[in-house]
Amino acid sequence: MPKELLDNNDIKRAITRMAHEIVEKNKGIENLCLVGIQKGGVILARRLAAQIESIEGMSIEIGALDITFYRDDLNTKDEQPFVKETDIQFSINGKTVVIVDDVLFTGRSIRAALDALLDFGRADNIQLAVLIDRGHRELPIRPDYVGKNIPTAFDDRIDVILQEDDTDNRVTLVSD
Amino acid sequence: MFKSKHLLGIKELSPDEINHILDTSSGFRDVLRRDIKKVPPLRGKTVISLFFEPSTRTRTSFALAAKRLSADDVNFSVTSSSVVKGESIQDTALTIQALGADFVVIRHKSSGVPHILSKILNASVVNAGDGANEHPTQALLDLFTIRSHKKKFKGLTVSIIGDIAHSRVAKSNIYGLTKLGAHVRVICPPTLMPAEIDKMGVEVFHSIDKGVRNADVLMTLRLQLERQSTGFLPSLREYFKLYGLTQERLGLAKKNAIVMHPGPMNRGVEIASDVADGPQSVILEQVTNGIAVRMAVLYLLAGVKK
């Protein structure tokens, strides 16, 4: 039975707070861009961008990054890799890039995302925003912005259901 | 989903597997448009190509695909190797494996050689053309090119024109296109029509004017001059007159039809120069797509759990 950890309003509030933190830490959004990791990070990045835009009253560049080709588990997993779209229409040279993902777990996806991003140019500064930090890091990676810290067992599963708007959003935990 | 660690032919693939290769190819085509056209998934892997027949574009395309995936690519040159000293194909292949190949990309004039090697090698075998049997990566890049222009295969009419009997490209394409739901017509002189072609689920035409009418895709094939010794055709001029794709004949197809050719072209034999260079031609696009498709094939085969 999945246990609901965050509901619609919790997620909305978390996104609003993270948006404020991003703006505050970077002293505005000049030179700032968001890059969401496929798939969960892309919608979250769009919602963060919408929130940031409403705070600052100007638009922010946003991209989507697929990390499939940069993963380190190509032939250790049973399932086949499915490639999704990478869509970064702007140069990241000299920018502050906020990588956005839904769940931070072992840190391996973020390692892959960093490698992928470095192939797109030399960002001045790379930061990390995640909705859920569930612990169990296997690499020295830490987030700059966290929606919620949730202690989990390694075998637990966290499901993040995110829509483009705040109609039906949930974060649930499935334990064995 | 992708079960085999070898790519021997399109015949062995399911429609889902074909679509998965094409989807993955899109990702690699995007990579090839970036400044840094290289990704790391095959780091530390070795691709050895073993070509018993001459080939420039397929070999170069595989070599680039391997390099763009960060694999090491080595060409085992047949003319300067022990093959000319009488070594059997099996021994050559086992030697290559002992050298540390993770992939063996092979082209041979006899059908079935890649299949035999796949039974004795632990490495992944990729068929780069075996006799008149199959040339799967060419068909996959053709399918990918068609899909990028026409979006779907259902309801599409594809006319394949030329030397069907000697063409592994035609055969692989017929398998692939029919599996994905396209309607396939083959157009060729009766002498270049293989026996039992109708059993492959295609419509046979001997008149090009009829065969290209309202088609969405016109796929011309290279007339294999080196295989025409036994009097299949009266002359090349006659062939062009009866089966060459001219501007006039192209006009019989749909307005937005695309023209394809696997290369190398014999201009003025199977295709007129102005058609090959015309706005409906996607021939050079096929070449570019070939790298992305071969990257997808190597990448997906590497992902099959051994």
Side-chain angles (χ1 to χ4, degrees):
Chain A
M1 199 36 206
K3 184 180 148 203
E4 189 167 284
L5 301 171
L6 297 182
D7 66 13
N8 210 0
N9 282 329
D10 297 331
I11 292 174
K12 198 177 163 188
R13 281 192 285 267
I15 289 175
T16 307
R17 179 175 49 75
M18 288 163 75
H20 279 283
E21 285 174 1
I22 291 170
V23 174
E24 185 188 7
K25 179 165 176 169
N26 294 295
K27 300 185 171 63
I29 59 170
E30 209 185 327
N31 240 5
L32 194 72
C33 60
L34 304 183
V35 172
I37 299 180
Q38 291 278 18
K39 229 166 136 187
V42 177
I43 293 179
L44 183 62
R46 278 204 284 265
R47 292 201 46 189
L48 270 173
Q51 198 57 245
I52 291 172
E53 282 167 14
S54 79
I55 298 166
E56 289 294 288
M58 56 194 276
S59 68
I60 179 167
E61 281 172 319
I62 166 165
L65 184 66
D66 181 60
I67 56 165
T68 312
F69 300 143
Y70 294 84
R71 299 194 68 93
D72 57 6
D73 53 2
L74 177 58
N75 54 11
T76 58
K77 290 205 307 188
D78 284 329
E79 69 253 48
Q80 289 280 319
F82 276 89
V83 177
K84 292 163 282 300
E85 195 191 12
T86 290
D87 180 24
I88 299 176
Q89 303 281 355
F90 47 87
S91 161
I92 65 164
N93 286 321
K95 294 248 174 65
T96 292
V97 182
V98 181
I99 296 178
V100 181
D101 206 359
D102 49 1
V103 180
L104 177 59
F105 183 26
T106 60
R108 288 180 189 269
S109 295
I110 305 304
R111 193 284 305 161
L114 286 169
D115 278 350
L117 210 52
L118 294 174
D119 281 355
F120 279 88
R122 189 185 186 281
D124 256 10
N125 196 326
I126 300 180
Q127 302 169 359
L128 175 61
V130 297
L131 184 62
I132 306 292
D133 182 353
R134 58 168 292 190
H136 301 284
R137 216 78 75 237
E138 293 170 357
L139 298 170
I141 280 169
R142 58 151 187 80
D144 299 278
Y145 315 99
V146 184
K148 189 159 178 64
N149 284 293
I150 294 174
T152 57
F154 191 85
D155 293 329
D156 289 350
R157 204 181 77 219
I158 296 270
D159 289 330
V160 177
I161 295 138
L162 269 185
Q163 314 293 336
E164 297 284 348
D165 53 19
D166 52 10
T167 48
D168 177 31
N169 301 282
R170 264 168 296 141
V171 177
T172 58
L173 175 107
V174 187
S175 305
D176 284 329
Chain B
M1 182 154 75
F2 217 71
K3 279 169 221 83
S4 174
K5 64 173 179 178
H6 309 292
L7 177 68
L8 302 176
I10 303 295
K11 191 182 180 181
E12 289 87 358
L13 296 178
S14 69
D16 278 352
E17 286 175 317
I18 297 173
N19 279 319
H20 189 39
I21 298 172
L22 302 184
D23 291 343
T24 309
S25 306
S26 307
F28 286 116
R29 198 182 49 181
D30 292 343
V31 169
L32 294 173
R33 286 180 181 149
R34 296 181 195 161
D35 279 350
I36 298 178
K37 299 174 180 56
K38 194 164 182 156
V39 285
L42 261 60
R43 241 168 1 144
K45 299 274 188 279
T46 304
V47 179
I48 298 189
S49 57
L50 183 58
F51 278 63
F52 290 90
E53 270 190 335
S55 157
T56 319
R57 63 194 64 214
T58 305
R59 196 168 47 72
T60 309
S61 182
F62 266 110
L64 274 170
K67 287 179 203 301
R68 302 293 196 217
L69 291 164
S70 306
D72 295 308
D73 161 72
V74 183
N75 178 37
F76 192 90
S77 171
V78 171
T79 46
S80 60
S81 78
S82 45
V83 174
V84 293
K85 299 171 192 160
E87 189 177 55
S88 76
I89 295 168
Q90 281 91 335
D91 285 334
T92 305
L94 287 169
T95 304
I96 284 175
Q97 178 164 285
L99 285 169
D102 299 287
F103 295 90
V104 177
V105 177
I106 178 160
R107 168 170 289 188
H108 199 279
K109 67 178 191 305
S110 301
S111 303
V113 170
H115 303 68
I116 294 169
L117 295 188
S118 73
K119 293 200 172 76
I120 59 169
L121 295 182
N122 293 321
S124 286
V125 175
V126 181
N127 183 358
D130 63 327
N133 180 39
E134 283 223 47
H135 189 353
T137 56
Q138 176 69 43
L140 288 167
L141 76 88
D142 291 340
L143 294 172
F144 182 76
T145 306
I146 293 171
R147 198 178 77 164
S148 66
H149 283 271
K150 303 292 176 191
K151 307 302 171 215
K152 56 181 173 49
F153 291 95
K154 287 236 157 42
L156 224 54
T157 300
V158 180
S159 298
I160 306 177
I161 312 155
D163 185 357
I164 309 287
H166 297 102
S167 177
R168 52 196 176 209
V169 175
K171 229 171 135 193
S172 287
N173 264 302
I174 291 170
Y175 284 130
L177 287 163
T178 51
K179 278 177 197 225
L180 296 179
H183 177 69
V184 181
R185 299 173 180 169
V186 297
I187 308 163
C188 64
T191 49
L192 294 176
M193 180 70 65
E196 308 205 325
I197 180 83
D198 43 330
K199 290 195 177 147
M200 292 184 77
V202 301
E203 199 182 351
V204 176
F205 289 85
H206 294 305
S207 150
I208 184 168
D209 290 359
K210 284 186 188 145
V212 300
R213 192 152 292 151
N214 285 323
D216 299 281
V217 178
L218 304 177
M219 193 182 284
T220 51
L221 298 172
R222 188 171 73 90
L223 188 67
Q224 306 206 7
L225 302 172
E226 68 275 20
R227 288 174 197 171
Q228 302 298 346
S229 50
T230 39
F232 291 117
L233 301 168
S235 75
L236 296 180
R237 259 175 76 185
E238 172 113 348
Y239 183 80
F240 182 68
K241 216 174 125 197
L242 289 172
Y243 291 98
L245 184 61
T246 58
Q247 203 65 52
E248 198 185 353
R249 285 168 176 153
L250 176 56
L252 299 171
K254 284 204 184 130
K255 264 203 171 59
N256 61 350
I258 54 170
V259 174
M260 308 176 74
H261 193 293
M265 276 187 283
N266 302 302
R267 287 171 184 259
V269 179
E270 65 261 1
I271 187 166
S273 254
D274 54 349
V275 174
D277 302 329
Q280 285 166 272
S281 164
V282 297
I283 294 169
L284 292 174
E285 205 178 306
Q286 287 174 270
V287 178
T288 310
N289 289 342
I291 304 173
V293 168
R294 291 181 175 110
M295 286 171 84
V297 167
L298 294 173
Y299 173 72
L300 290 172
L301 292 181
V304 174
K305 221 173 170 185
K306 308 221 160 99

